[in-house]
Amino acid sequence: MIEYTSPLIVQRADPYIYKHTDGYYYFTASVPAYNLIEIRRARTLEGLAHAAPRTIWRKHESGPMSQLIWAPEIHYIDGKWFIYFAAAETTALDKLGMFQHRMFCIECDAENPMGSEDDWFEHGQVKTGMDTFSLDATVFEHQNKLYYVWAQKDNNIKGNSNLYIAEMSNPWTLKTNPVMLSKPEYDWEIRGFWVNEGPAVIHRNGRFFLTYSASATDENYAMGMLTVADDVDLLDASNWSKSKDPVFQSDLATHQYGPGHNSFTVAEDDKTDLMVYHCRNYTEIKGDPLYDPNRHTKVQPFTWNEDGTPNFGKPTPYNYK
């Protein structure tokens, strides 16, 4: 089994790694100051740890994209680069005790996205028809359709955020109304906060597997999973099934706490499936866990069960010198 340095990249939460056709791995994640978006690239995953980050976008001085830049993801769609991220106008909470994030999209038409900040331009907010707290957008393509999956608050449903899906007319515009796929309901999803967020999608064995993260961002953070066949209507919530138990969670024996907000990539052999996620190695957090910088990026292989479902195992213990 392939093993990578653990953690691979320190102080990078909400990690996203994409392996492009040019042979490079591209990495982006939330930076501790939540003030900019950076990407780095390398020929190998281990190389990402030492690659020089390139800042490609900075928060605005004021307005909707001026505070708390969270969870960027880099995608390559129809020959162009797109980054999805969440941003807020203020660090203050609203009357419901929520942050005020909305989701945004920037684009780069250059072949190499590692150029200057001038290579990236803003499409503005990705509007869902619901003007509430929203974040953690990801996209995937299937049968020539582009789908958007994200987390958002519904003021009529208890909790911070639910998971939604919609089809897109282009990479920054929704074509259909949001369809709710999941809301916090099980005990392990409502510890600290009622949360479903951080969706990630992998397509294998005739099915889509949608992982997500739940509960507060401390040691209670854990991953769940939704499953749907790839030959049915993905916008029909009744076609999706939800695991009642977490599929990946803290391992007290090895001091791995709050693993989550994952993404998927593939190893250098182009065969081994990898999960990318963040994790801490302690539970004593001073103040708000959001501002504790030590959620580190980790990468580990996972296997597939005989029934075709993923087996993520347990978080790998730290092994760096």
Side-chain angles (χ1 to χ4, degrees):
M1 182 70 75
I2 300 172
E3 183 176 300
Y4 296 97
T5 299
S6 176
L8 184 67
I9 302 171
V10 299
Q11 295 194 339
R12 289 296 181 271
D14 315 319
Y16 192 88
I17 296 178
Y18 164 66
K19 189 176 187 181
H20 191 42
T21 53
D22 62 3
Y24 281 100
Y25 286 99
Y26 290 83
F27 171 83
T28 189
S30 298
V31 301
Y34 301 132
N35 62 342
L36 54 81
I37 297 174
E38 64 177 28
I39 54 178
R40 62 179 80 181
R41 72 174 186 174
R43 293 285 184 182
T44 65
L45 287 160
E46 290 284 350
L48 287 175
H50 311 289
R54 176 66 59 89
T55 298
I56 56 89
W57 184 87
R58 299 174 190 271
K59 73 180 184 69
H60 293 188
E61 288 298 314
S62 61
M65 288 187 276
S66 63
Q67 297 291 341
L68 297 177
I69 310 305
W70 288 356
E73 287 195 9
I74 185 167
H75 293 265
Y76 190 74
I77 306 168
D78 293 334
K80 300 176 181 179
W81 297 93
F82 296 89
I83 289 179
Y84 299 94
F85 63 97
E89 190 162 359
T90 173
T91 59
L93 304 181
D94 65 17
K95 61 183 179 181
L96 297 176
M98 302 286 297
F99 285 108
Q100 299 175 34
H101 286 75
R102 301 297 186 268
M103 300 174 297
F104 300 89
C105 176
I106 58 177
E107 177 182 340
C108 173
D109 296 348
E111 183 176 343
N112 180 4
M114 299 288 291
S116 70
E117 295 177 44
D118 294 335
D119 291 336
W120 289 84
F121 59 92
E122 299 171 359
H123 284 293
Q125 183 181 343
V126 180
K127 297 182 178 180
T128 67
M130 301 186 294
D131 188 24
T132 56
F133 172 75
S134 54
L135 72 169
D136 293 353
T138 192
V139 296
F140 69 96
E141 296 178 81
H142 183 54
Q143 296 181 343
N144 297 315
K145 294 180 179 180
L146 182 64
Y147 292 92
Y148 194 70
V149 182
W150 73 99
Q152 187 156 5
K153 167 71 175 176
D154 182 332
N155 290 336
N156 296 315
I157 296 176
K158 183 175 181 178
N160 288 50
S161 57
N162 315 310
L163 296 178
Y164 296 88
I165 188 172
E167 186 184 339
M168 307 190 86
S169 57
N170 60 45
W172 58 94
T173 309
L174 299 195
K175 180 179 180 180
T176 62
N177 292 325
V179 173
M180 190 179 75
L181 296 180
S182 176
K183 64 181 180 180
E185 55 191 316
Y186 298 124
D187 173 70
W188 61 271
E189 295 179 297
I190 60 174
R191 293 173 180 164
F193 294 101
W194 294 51
V195 170
N196 280 182
E197 65 182 19
V201 177
I202 188 169
H203 183 210
R204 294 286 186 279
N205 307 323
R207 282 173 281 183
F208 284 99
F209 301 96
L210 191 162
T211 56
Y212 65 94
S213 297
S215 290
T217 58
D218 54 18
E219 69 270 21
N220 292 305
Y221 212 48
M223 281 170 45
M225 188 172 71
L226 303 169
T227 304
V228 66
D230 63 8
D231 59 354
V232 299
D233 182 4
L234 302 185
L235 299 182
D236 182 346
S238 66
N239 287 328
W240 293 77
S241 61
K242 179 177 178 177
S243 299
K244 293 183 179 179
D245 299 309
V247 295
F248 199 63
Q249 58 190 318
S250 294
D251 185 3
L252 278 59
T254 57
H255 307 289
Q256 300 302 302
Y257 302 110
H261 201 117
N262 77 292
S263 58
F264 296 107
T265 191
V266 67
E268 289 83 353
D269 61 8
D270 287 324
K271 297 177 181 178
T272 305
D273 287 310
L274 304 176
M275 183 167 65
V276 185
Y277 63 97
H278 69 233
C279 199
R280 287 191 184 92
N281 68 339
Y282 58 87
T283 60
E284 297 301 318
I285 300 170
K286 295 180 180 179
D288 189 333
L290 178 66
Y291 296 104
D292 177 283
N294 294 313
R295 290 182 291 173
H296 303 320
T297 294
K298 300 176 66 176
V299 177
Q300 70 185 62
F302 63 93
T303 58
W304 296 88
N305 299 312
E306 289 187 3
D307 65 359
T309 59
N311 185 339
F312 298 120
K314 296 181 178 181
T316 54
Y318 282 15
N319 62 18
Y320 68 98
K321 301 294 187 288

